[in-house]
């Protein structure tokens, strides 16, 4: 099993989803989507520019 590194952004996201009452599978799906976005960017998603967001939307 691969251990995921937990960043402050990831922890905050998980806490927010838990507060909103999202189920485990929904949380996993959201985390996977952000992980894919970060892989596309090549850096943390919290530093994404508008141009990068648009490029990702077009990519999708």
């Amino acid at each position: 099993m691969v251990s995921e590194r937990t960043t402050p952004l990831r922890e905050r996201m998980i806490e927010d989803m838990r507060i909103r009452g999202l189920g485990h599978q929904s949380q996993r799906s959201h985390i996977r989507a952000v992980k894919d976005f970060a892989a596309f960017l090549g850096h943390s998603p919290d530093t994404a520019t508008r141009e990068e967001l648009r490029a990702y939307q077009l990519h999708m």
Side-chain angles (χ1 to χ4, degrees), residues 12-58:
R12 188 174 68 224
M13 182 179 172
I14 291 169
E15 181 181 345
D16 289 348
M17 289 188 292
R18 204 173 298 138
I19 289 169
R20 288 183 173 90
L22 286 158
H24 182 68
Q25 285 303 113
S26 294
Q27 289 181 27
R28 286 183 60 178
S29 295
H30 284 15
I31 290 169
R32 183 175 51 247
V34 173
K35 185 177 176 181
D36 292 345
F37 180 48
F40 175 83
L41 293 174
H43 59 84
S44 179
D46 62 342
T47 61
T49 65
R50 287 182 176 185
E51 293 79 23
E52 290 171 326
L53 292 171
R54 177 159 168 71
Y56 186 68
Q57 288 175 326
L58 293 172

